[in-house]
Amino acid sequence: MRSVHAAVLPPGPRLLEALSAALDGTGPALFPLSPGLPDTALKRLLEAARPDALLDEHGLHPLPGGLPTEAAVLIATSGSTGTPKIVELPAAALVASARATLERVGHPDAPWLCCLPTGHIAGIQVLVRALTAGTEPVIHPGFELQAAARAGGVHVSLVPTQLGRLLDAGADLAGYASILLGGAAAPTALLERARARGARIFTTYGMSETSGGCVYDGLPLEGVRVSLGGDGRIRLAGPVLFSGYRHEPARTGEWFVTNDLGAFDERGLLRVRGRADDVINTGGEKVVAGEVAELISRHPAVRDVVVVGRDDPEWGQRVTAVVVADAPLSLREVREWVRAELPAPAAPRELELREALPLLPSGKPDRERLRMSSRPGTFTK
């Protein structure tokens, strides 16, 4: 068992040094947090994790009531509302994930660009990969479009919105060693545009509990196993799994049952249908929001899309498509597009057009915000 230090540090040498010591066991476990957190959110996370000390740019500050851990890194899965879950990750799991990724993407001598928040698994895992590969990471304080566009020759992890911005800015996507794309489902049109520009993209699926991405382009990383439960939920096993949640009994059993619904295609590759808690109950029928969004994303006018269920007095929930479009788009067009491939209840009864989707700090779409609000430019059937 060892102590835990909450590191409220920007991405940079001090954070990298603390992470290296956490991984090799010469230092305390690391709980990385964003320096930009509001005081109330920071307090909530510290209460949930109970570290022994807080490390910031001014030094190390002891905290009362700290609890030790056997993990190397702690990651908060949420925290904007309610009580966050704190995932405990052993060094062996993080390094197994990093090694498997390095083997899958190749170009082992290329540096890793860190431009994602290091308080989330996607950002901290970029640094783990660099340490595992023995390369010096290129660290940006955040995603700055022009700096990322000029990076070239690096491996980089992005969310779909960031890739879209690089495309719009005319960045030389062929210059990157690889682009790992995760955090949210990538619109088909976005992937096609990027690959047409020479981008070497790996679409990733994973979460904090799996040390980050563990399925690339539908194919598990080395040592990772995927199965589906009777309820359609994705189950994962292998050396990349977390040891448990903070203050809860250690995880037992071989498999981690996710909250995502999946299917295998004719090639045996995993397809993520959407989250189980994003199933929309409309008029007595169940609609998987992720499947509807994936289909709408193939429409030539659609740049980005999220599908949510909004309360409706007649239907219980109405299927709502929130779309960023590159061309005029009507609710009728969207309904016809969806009904060509999915059952009639999946066709959206509401279309909301936006210039951009609201995002969480992790870069994922803020689905809860989209469920609760609508704007002018909304069309309802």
Side-chain angles (χ1 to χ4, degrees):
M1 302 290 279
R2 53 176 163 165
S3 60
V4 178
H5 286 181
V8 186
L9 294 170
R14 290 188 67 197
L15 181 64
L16 188 65
E17 181 182 356
L19 174 61
S20 178
L23 291 174
D24 66 19
T26 59
L30 180 69
F31 180 38
L33 296 169
S34 168
L37 280 173
D39 289 344
T40 53
L42 176 60
K43 180 180 178 181
R44 186 165 57 246
L45 288 168
L46 292 177
E47 289 174 348
R50 293 181 63 184
D52 300 272
L54 185 148
L55 177 64
D56 62 18
E57 292 183 295
H58 304 291
L60 188 66
H61 314 280
L63 297 173
L67 289 179
T69 183
E70 294 182 351
V73 172
L74 277 59
I75 292 289
T77 60
S78 64
S80 57
T81 60
T83 302
K85 278 195 169 184
I86 310 297
V87 175
E88 297 197 318
L89 292 163
L94 289 159
V95 173
S97 171
R99 286 176 175 161
T101 294
L102 293 169
E103 180 180 339
R104 179 68 61 88
V105 303
H107 299 277
D109 296 330
W112 285 83
L113 168 62
C114 180
C115 59
L116 292 175
T118 48
H120 298 280
I121 188 61
I124 208 72
Q125 184 57 267
V126 169
L127 299 181
V128 176
R129 292 171 192 140
L131 289 169
T132 303
T135 57
E136 189 71 25
V138 178
I139 299 176
H140 292 178
F143 180 76
E144 200 284 312
L145 179 60
Q146 295 304 320
R150 291 192 300 267
V154 298
H155 298 288
V156 63
S157 285
L158 300 172
V159 297
T161 299
Q162 293 168 336
L163 177 60
R165 291 174 183 171
L166 286 170
L167 272 167
D168 293 342
D172 178 16
L173 299 185
Y176 295 97
S178 71
I179 297 174
L180 276 57
L181 198 63
T188 302
L190 175 68
L191 293 173
E192 291 175 349
R193 288 174 61 208
R195 285 170 173 151
R197 294 260 290 269
R200 186 169 178 261
I201 294 177
F202 296 83
T203 59
T204 71
Y205 168 70
M207 56 215 67
S208 300
E209 290 88 344
T210 61
S211 301
C214 64
V215 178
Y216 285 23
D217 296 327
L219 186 66
L221 292 178
E222 182 68 28
V224 175
R225 286 167 289 140
V226 181
S227 69
L228 299 179
D231 59 358
R233 295 191 187 215
I234 298 170
R235 295 154 35 102
L236 301 166
V240 301
L241 291 188
F242 71 131
S243 55
Y245 296 110
R246 190 86 161 142
H247 312 311
E248 295 185 13
R251 187 185 65 81
T252 59
E254 181 180 8
W255 295 90
F256 170 59
V257 181
T258 75
N259 198 33
D260 297 311
L261 301 173
F264 293 107
D265 67 14
E266 64 280 0
R267 299 167 294 173
L269 301 180
L270 178 67
R271 176 175 63 86
V272 181
R273 299 172 59 206
R275 291 183 59 81
D277 55 10
D278 281 336
V279 171
I280 302 168
N281 289 292
T282 180
E285 301 288 343
K286 292 185 177 181
V287 173
V288 180
E291 288 187 325
V292 183
E294 194 281 328
L295 178 55
I296 294 174
S297 77
R298 299 183 218 160
H299 191 286
V302 172
R303 174 180 291 265
D304 208 351
V305 57
V306 169
V307 171
V308 296
R310 288 179 176 163
D311 291 341
D312 187 277
E314 179 181 0
W315 300 98
Q317 289 180 302
R318 64 184 178 277
V319 179
T320 300
V322 185
V323 171
V324 179
D326 288 328
L329 187 65
S330 70
L331 176 59
R332 180 178 176 180
E333 285 180 85
V334 173
R335 285 178 57 81
E336 290 178 351
W337 183 267
V338 172
R339 291 184 68 172
E341 292 194 30
L342 293 177
R349 293 190 171 274
E350 184 174 45
L351 171 66
E352 181 179 331
L353 299 175
R354 292 196 178 210
E355 292 185 0
L357 297 178
L359 302 177
L360 297 169
S362 62
K364 298 179 181 180
D366 191 339
R367 295 178 183 277
E368 187 60 28
R369 183 173 166 188
L370 291 173
R371 284 191 193 98
M372 301 301 295
S373 65
S374 60
R375 288 184 172 185
T378 300
F379 309 95
T380 305
K381 176 179 175 63

